[in-house]
Amino acid sequence: QVQLVESGGGLVQAGGSLRLSCAASGRTFSSNTMGWFRQAPGKEREFVTAINWSGSSTYYADSVKGRFTISRDNAKNTVYLQMNSLKPEDTAVYYCAAPIRGAIFSNPLVDYWGQGTQVTVSS
């Protein structure tokens, strides 16, 4: 089994930055894609970003491209999400996910989810 634990969420003002971390334990998924989803109050969970094992391929939703950066440190079994220029519409619970299979943008398949970490951006 795999456990994913997110950290780094909090309350920031619009235009500020946060860095989320996702620490994985248990079985590892070599060469597999990991990423982040988010769910705002009253809305569906949506894909945010993903990264393959080597870090050579990254994927971003249009809503965050240019502001968010995903990275990973396989020696630490950790994936990061650097969020800059935050907007109130980024307010959501952010979930780490692994592995991500299928069509990443339209029909992603996920085996394991983290418990989520709250990100709140004030105006």
Side-chain angles (χ1 to χ4, degrees):
Q1 301 298 315
V2 173
Q3 294 79 45
L4 304 173
V5 180
E6 301 98 334
S7 62
L11 173 64
V12 298
Q13 295 183 12
S17 298
L18 283 174
R19 190 177 77 155
L20 307 183
S21 298
C22 173
S25 61
R27 290 189 293 108
T28 59
F29 296 90
S30 298
S31 301
N32 283 337
T33 298
M34 298 182 64
W36 297 86
F37 293 70
R38 68 185 182 185
Q39 187 167 22
K43 295 188 176 181
E44 300 289 332
R45 187 174 298 188
E46 66 174 346
F47 169 79
V48 177
T49 182
I51 186 170
N52 71 347
W53 177 258
S54 68
S56 62
S57 297
T58 56
Y59 312 87
Y60 296 94
D62 289 342
S63 59
V64 306
K65 189 174 184 179
R67 301 186 298 118
F68 291 11
T69 303
I70 188 171
S71 62
R72 67 193 299 169
D73 185 340
N74 291 334
K76 298 180 179 179
N77 294 321
T78 300
V79 175
Y80 304 97
L81 179 60
Q82 179 66 46
M83 304 184 295
N84 298 328
S85 302
L86 283 162
K87 305 174 181 179
E89 49 263 47
D90 294 318
T91 295
V93 177
Y94 284 71
Y95 296 92
C96 184
I100 301 177
R101 305 178 181 181
I104 291 178
F105 291 99
S106 60
N107 189 33
L109 303 177
V110 176
D111 289 341
Y112 298 96
W113 296 93
Q115 83 287 350
T117 185
Q118 177 71 49
V119 172
T120 302
V121 184
S122 62
S123 300

